[in-house]
Amino acid sequence: MRIPSRAVMLIAVAALPLALSACSSSGTGTGTGASAKPAKAKDPNAGLLTGTQLKKAMAPASAIPSGLTLEADGSADSGGQFLSPSSRKTAKPDCTRLETTSWIQVSGYKGGVSFAQEDYANKTEEVAQEIDAFQGTTATALMKQLQTVAGECATFTDTDAHAKVKVVGSSTSGLGDEAYTMTLTSGYWDNGTTLIAARSGSSVVTVLSTAGGDNGAASAKKVTTTILAALKKEAAPGGQG
């Protein structure tokens, strides 16, 4: 689980102005001094929401199944600063991460340059939500990687009961720009787990739910839909703050 201590300030490197002089084309001509402003480096985080803004898009308690309470140690965000981007680990995925709140890391990506997450639970059920913002096309690449993970983790052994877990994944329409759902079931469990990843622009929403008798499917979809609507509003012109 990622915590705010990961937050670091990105260091901006100032460009040095260059002075250019134009020389005469002949020995009798006089040189004319000219100066050119350096091209301003493009900010790779331009247009991305900060952790503070992503936190505002979290699904409220009213969208969480009743009986679950907010876990203080499961709530964190990157604040107003952007984190340093991390490269993807190409090793075989650790399938047991699919059981954890920050299960986005099973893709090999540690997380976005900004994030917010919250975890609701009781003694038997849990709903975890997270939003990560990524630079460039990383969000799209991550979504593709999650589909690969679903195949590589088709079956694995869980960490608690040491039981065989079956994973079934499928593309999901109607959620953000693209979405993918994975359902985890085991003959040793009373109820399964639903994981939904949905991309909205450069942000990826990930939700985990074990709440409800349907492997957490309905509650996971409700939380994801709620976040996507709030995220779209937060990202709209004039909506950031």
Side-chain angles (χ1 to χ4, degrees), residues 36-123:
K37 293 183 179 179
K40 186 176 181 181
K42 184 178 180 181
D43 181 2
N45 297 316
L48 300 182
L49 297 178
T50 65
T52 301
Q53 293 165 324
L54 294 176
K55 184 178 181 180
K56 295 178 182 179
M58 292 272 95
S62 59
I64 306 297
S66 60
L68 278 68
T69 57
L70 183 64
E71 299 285 302
D73 60 354
S75 301
D77 65 83
S78 54
Q81 307 292 343
F82 287 103
L83 311 178
S84 298
S86 57
S87 57
R88 187 180 77 83
K89 294 182 179 179
T90 57
K92 184 178 180 180
D94 178 2
C95 300
T96 60
R97 283 193 176 276
L98 293 173
E99 304 175 82
T100 65
T101 53
S102 270
W103 63 270
I104 191 174
Q105 295 183 20
V106 75
S107 66
Y109 291 95
K110 190 173 183 179
V113 293
S114 62
F115 77 93
Q117 63 183 59
E118 289 183 346
D119 185 18
Y120 288 79
N122 57 26
K123 292 182 179 180

Side-chain angles (χ1 to χ4, degrees), residues 146-158:
L146 285 178
Q147 297 185 38
T148 300
V149 166
E152 293 182 284
C153 295
T155 59
F156 69 95
T157 301
D158 79 342

